[in-house]
Amino acid sequence: KLGRMKDALTELEEELKINPRLVKAMIELGNIMVRLNRLDEGMKYFVEAMSLDPSSAPAKIGAGYVNFKKKQF
């Protein structure tokens, strides 16, 4: 499972190089980072996604989850 997440991570990072405004890829990267317990990196992707699409519910949920995990609420 870890290998698949790393493969997905690489693919999503490549997608962002091609289209740096791809909100869905940012959210997926954020989710993968959270699963890998890389919370600060996950938050970075969620914040970037929200800056491009302030109404993105998945980005807001992801950021809220990171804050919950870090007990920052």
Side-chain angles (χ1 to χ4, degrees), residues 34-49:
V34 167
R35 284 189 214 113
L36 295 172
N37 204 35
R38 294 163 58 180
L39 300 178
D40 291 333
E41 291 172 84
M43 180 61 94
K44 179 187 82 155
Y45 286 114
F46 295 134
V47 168
E48 182 67 22

Side-chain angles (χ1 to χ4, degrees), residues 34-71:
V34 167
R35 284 189 214 113
L36 295 172
N37 204 35
R38 294 163 58 180
L39 300 178
D40 291 333
E41 291 172 84
M43 180 61 94
K44 179 187 82 155
Y45 286 114
F46 295 134
V47 168
E48 182 67 22
M50 287 186 292
S51 74
L52 294 171
D53 181 4
S55 66
S56 172
K60 291 177 184 180
I61 291 167
Y65 183 74
V66 170
N67 284 331
F68 175 77
K69 291 283 282 184
K70 293 175 76 175
K71 298 181 179 12

Side-chain angles (χ1 to χ4, degrees), residues 1-19 22 25-26 28-33 35-36 38 41 45:
K1 192 170 186 176
L2 183 61
R4 285 189 297 200
M5 276 198 286
K6 289 187 177 183
D7 289 343
L9 187 67
T10 301
E11 287 180 34
L12 289 164
E13 287 172 338
E14 289 298 317
E15 284 185 41
L16 280 181
K17 285 180 186 173
I18 295 166
N19 182 359
L22 194 59
M26 289 177 198
E28 288 303 316
L29 279 165
N31 288 331
I32 290 170
M33 293 299 183
R35 284 189 214 113
L36 295 172
R38 294 163 58 180
E41 291 172 84
Y45 286 114

